[in-house]
Amino acid sequence: GAGVSQSPRYKVAKRGQDVALRCDPISGHVSLFWYQQALGQGPEFLTYFQNEAQLDKSGLPSDRFFAERPEGSVSTLKIQRTQQEDSAVYLCASSLTGGASGANVLTFGAGSRLTVL
Amino acid sequence: SQKIEQNSEALNIQEGKTATLTCNYTNYSPAYLQWYRQDPGRGPVFLLLIRENEKEKRKERLKVTFDTTLKQSLFHITASQPADSATYLCALVRGSQGNLIFGKGTKLSVKP
């Protein structure tokens, strides 16, 4: 597609529910990133894929967070047993190139706003 | 640990003036630095990239400098307009895998 698409745009979950957030990157983009953005803060890195390989998941806050990109295109971020502190905007971004040798210019989606009650 | 700081949370200026935003980093030797713009309810949008061997980069009314000795980048918007009001984020690559980490951002308000 023309841009990075994220769904749902808004999700309200009760504490303890599981949620799944979807990201459709730009076709052909090698790299895919997930970020968490709290109100008034910058995006905090969660995890990074190059094609289907998850190269860095050091930013995932706990083992309740899980991300996958099984065919190297669409990615899903799953949060199990949601807590109130998980409330944030979850941003997905993709990049044509991969690795530190290239300049990873990211194209972001509009984000999925998660509210945990 | 590696850290990026954008010194001002908010910057208010008058239309027509030059806005200058600061990004400082510690414990990094980044090969390049990027600046993004974020409007409310939207994802960040890429503006400029500057490499470590470039002192300055320009794009229309935007200018970015990169001082690897001071570990600092300055982002300038000349002849600012109310439409420039947004949050501006700097970003650096971390590690060998190429993932970008972001500063907290500076919210710029340009008043008519």
Side-chain angles (χ1 to χ4, degrees):
Chain A
V4 177
S5 178
Q6 291 189 247
S7 60
R9 284 296 315 277
Y10 303 94
K11 175 71 179 176
V12 178
K14 290 184 179 176
R15 192 162 63 95
Q17 265 187 320
D18 296 349
V19 299
L21 307 176
R22 176 187 167 107
C23 175
D24 261 288
I26 293 173
S27 178
H29 274 198
V30 169
S31 299
L32 185 144
F33 300 79
W34 283 99
Y35 291 87
Q36 181 190 60
Q37 188 171 31
L39 193 63
Q41 302 295 311
E44 293 282 343
F45 171 78
L46 293 177
T47 188
Y48 163 51
F49 291 85
Q50 198 171 114
N51 297 307
E52 68 277 5
Q54 189 174 22
L55 298 186
D56 189 338
K57 56 181 181 179
S58 62
L60 296 176
S62 75
D63 58 8
R64 296 186 296 104
F65 286 70
F66 172 76
E68 60 182 3
R69 193 186 185 197
E71 296 177 1
S73 56
V74 170
S75 177
T76 304
L77 176 67
K78 297 178 180 176
I79 310 172
Q80 296 177 322
R81 305 181 303 281
T82 52
Q83 304 293 316
Q84 283 188 320
E85 61 261 28
D86 300 335
S87 296
V89 174
Y90 290 85
L91 293 166
C92 175
S94 69
S95 170
L96 183 61
T97 59
S101 59
N104 271 343
V105 173
L106 301 188
T107 302
F108 281 85
S112 292
R113 181 180 293 279
L114 173 64
T115 303
V116 182
L117 303 177
Chain B
S1 64
Q2 298 163 326
K3 207 171 170 184
I4 304 174
E5 283 183 351
Q6 293 190 246
N7 289 8
S8 300
E9 283 192 8
L11 180 64
N12 299 311
I13 64 168
Q14 207 66 34
E15 183 176 7
K17 301 291 186 184
T18 296
T20 298
L21 285 65
T22 305
C23 177
N24 294 293
Y25 58 93
T26 57
N27 299 327
Y28 278 109
S29 295
Y32 55 87
L33 183 148
Q34 301 183 20
W35 284 89
Y36 288 75
R37 169 183 172 142
Q38 188 173 23
D39 291 282
R42 296 179 173 268
V45 174
F46 171 76
L47 294 175
L48 279 168
L49 178 151
I50 185 165
R51 299 181 188 277
E52 60 179 342
N53 60 352
E54 297 175 315
K55 295 292 184 197
E56 185 180 293
K57 199 85 169 275
R58 290 176 186 261
K59 179 182 173 183
E60 298 172 354
R61 294 183 296 109
L62 308 180
K63 184 178 88 171
V64 172
T65 63
F66 192 10
D67 189 325
T68 55
T69 302
L70 291 178
K71 295 187 181 291
Q72 182 180 80
S73 175
L74 299 179
F75 177 82
H76 306 272
I77 306 175
T78 58
S80 59
Q81 304 166 359
D84 296 327
S85 299
T87 296
Y88 292 86
L89 301 157
C90 67
L92 295 169
V93 68
R94 180 179 71 184
S96 60
Q97 305 298 347
N99 53 322
L100 282 180
I101 62 170
F102 286 81
K104 289 187 176 181
T106 297
K107 185 175 180 180
L108 175 67
S109 296
V110 181
K111 303 206 182 304

